[in-house]
Amino acid sequence: MTEIGHKLICEEHGPNDLADYARLADRSAFDFAMISDHFHPWTSTQGESPLVWNVIGAISQATDDLTLGTSITCPILRYHPAIIAQAAATAGVQLPDRFFLGVGTGENLSEHVLGDRWPEHQVRLEMLEEAVDLIRTLWEGETTSYRGEYYTVENAKIYTLPEELPPIPIAADGPKTARKAGEIGDGLVAVAPDPELIEAFEAGGGEDKPRYAEIDVCYAEDEQEAIETAHEIWPQAALPGELLWELRTPAHFEQATEAVTEEDVAEVVVCGSDPEDHIEGIREYVDAGFDHVAVHNVGSNQAEFVEFYEEEVLPAVQ
């Protein structure tokens, strides 16, 4: 049984709109939602980037049943893991039994802003493992002093804790991180339909844990209109290699995407209103082994997108 979710994108939408879209998802046939956690948008055209924790509070009051997870919070540089432990515990109280904390090693775009050095991936992965351990230690609810290799906490206690602690799935874009997600995480999050990620996740101990994926789409009745919208708003989806993790500013992404064509974006973003195209895109992830797929619709027409999915797509994939 595949669960299909609605991805809420803080880089594209303001906090009030995000709460409205979450309410829309809650009343729809979508099974869950995920929300991004950025300091900067990828490009200035996207135009937004509210603090996700404020938005989560608003969503908790705007919804009744919607399960919501961050995708992805990076608790290693811009945030200290003790702060995320408190923030996620509060979110767990506000969204009882319907919040999860998706974490990962982050992007330079949002994590360099305090002037910290951007470490290589192996170091960030070590930091993430320690951060997750610290978060879970603080969630035990005891007064804690913690002196790790990367983080220190002195006499800290989280008083506001949910009855059920949030699961912590871990994002991975390669087998090494996927294996680590299986070892220390409560699930996997990925953005590519890569069976090797599932294999590595299972090898690390993730056999019975949920596997979340994200897919970019752009719904519009006219396919060319959808392609143009996706190219204008979400061109970084077509960037190759590790640029997504390494570029530092929206201006750098704007420079890097100057060479990205509409055709390039159409190859990686499902565009238009043909249900079979959207169904096929989701099934790629299902066939790769993912059991939760969050759909990000590029643009502001979220109500039309939800209606289209309820009528034409979800019945075929849920």
Side-chain angles (χ1 to χ4, degrees):
M1 190 73 175
T2 303
E3 294 193 6
I4 308 299
H6 187 175
K7 179 66 183 285
L8 305 169
I9 298 291
C10 289
E11 304 93 289
E12 286 186 59
H13 309 293
N16 297 330
D17 286 339
L18 289 163
D20 288 342
Y21 298 153
R23 184 186 296 110
L24 183 66
D26 188 37
R27 297 172 179 173
S28 74
F30 282 100
D31 298 301
F32 67 99
M34 301 174 84
I35 187 166
S36 59
D37 183 353
H38 270 230
F39 191 90
H40 290 141
W42 301 96
T43 68
S44 298
T45 303
Q46 292 161 12
E48 296 281 355
S49 205
L51 181 65
V52 72
W53 300 101
N54 298 53
V55 179
I56 289 171
I59 289 173
S60 75
Q61 302 305 298
T63 61
D64 297 315
D65 301 305
L66 186 69
T67 295
L68 177 69
T70 56
S71 179
I72 293 294
T73 291
C74 178
I76 65 173
L77 287 170
R78 169 171 53 108
Y79 295 128
H80 191 286
I83 303 304
I84 292 303
Q86 184 184 31
T90 299
V93 172
Q94 293 174 304
L95 295 156
D97 297 327
R98 56 189 184 102
F99 176 74
F100 58 91
L101 174 65
V103 299
T105 55
E107 303 98 12
N108 200 3
L109 172 70
S110 288
E111 304 310 319
H112 79 276
V113 296
L114 300 183
D116 296 299
R117 183 179 70 87
W118 179 241
E120 64 180 359
H121 182 263
Q122 177 57 38
V123 175
R124 301 201 313 275
L125 188 57
E126 293 170 6
M127 295 171 75
L128 181 63
E129 183 171 9
E130 186 173 304
V132 170
D133 180 63
L134 175 53
I135 290 168
R136 289 189 171 134
T137 299
L138 287 167
W139 280 354
E140 293 173 5
E142 304 296 331
T143 300
T144 299
S145 291
Y146 185 104
R147 293 175 180 84
E149 182 176 355
Y150 299 103
Y151 306 107
T152 299
V153 165
E154 293 186 354
N155 303 318
K157 179 177 179 177
I158 295 178
Y159 283 83
T160 300
L161 286 166
E163 292 185 9
E164 294 292 330
L165 294 172
I168 307 179
I170 292 176
D173 68 338
K176 185 174 183 179
T177 309
R179 178 182 287 271
K180 182 62 68 175
E183 291 176 7
I184 68 170
D186 298 315
L188 172 70
V189 183
V191 295
D194 186 350
E196 290 187 5
L197 296 179
I198 300 295
E199 293 171 7
F201 178 63
E202 292 181 344
E207 295 92 339
D208 299 319
K209 300 175 183 178
R211 303 95 186 269
Y212 293 88
E214 298 178 12
I215 181 173
D216 296 321
V217 309
C218 187
Y219 168 74
E221 284 292 334
D222 180 75
E223 181 179 4
Q224 182 58 37
E225 178 187 346
I227 291 171
E228 291 172 2
T229 298
H231 180 254
E232 178 186 3
I233 297 176
W234 209 247
Q236 82 283 350
L239 288 178
E242 299 181 4
L243 290 178
L244 284 178
W245 326 126
E246 298 299 333
L247 296 180
R248 287 174 57 87
T249 68
H252 290 158
F253 275 94
E254 288 155 20
Q255 293 166 19
T257 56
E258 285 181 359
V260 172
T261 66
E262 291 183 356
E263 290 74 17
D264 295 331
V265 172
E267 288 183 5
V268 295
V269 178
V270 178
C271 293
S273 59
D274 185 338
E276 288 305 316
D277 291 341
H278 292 259
I279 292 166
E280 181 182 350
I282 291 171
R283 283 181 174 160
E284 279 191 62
Y285 287 89
V286 175
D287 292 345
F290 292 93
D291 51 22
H292 294 71
V293 181
V295 185
H296 160 220
N297 179 56
V298 179
S300 60
N301 61 338
Q302 299 300 315
E304 293 86 351
F305 155 74
V306 168
E307 181 179 3
F308 166 67
Y309 260 64
E310 284 195 300
E311 294 179 355
E312 304 288 347
V313 179
L314 297 183
V317 294
Q318 284 178 320

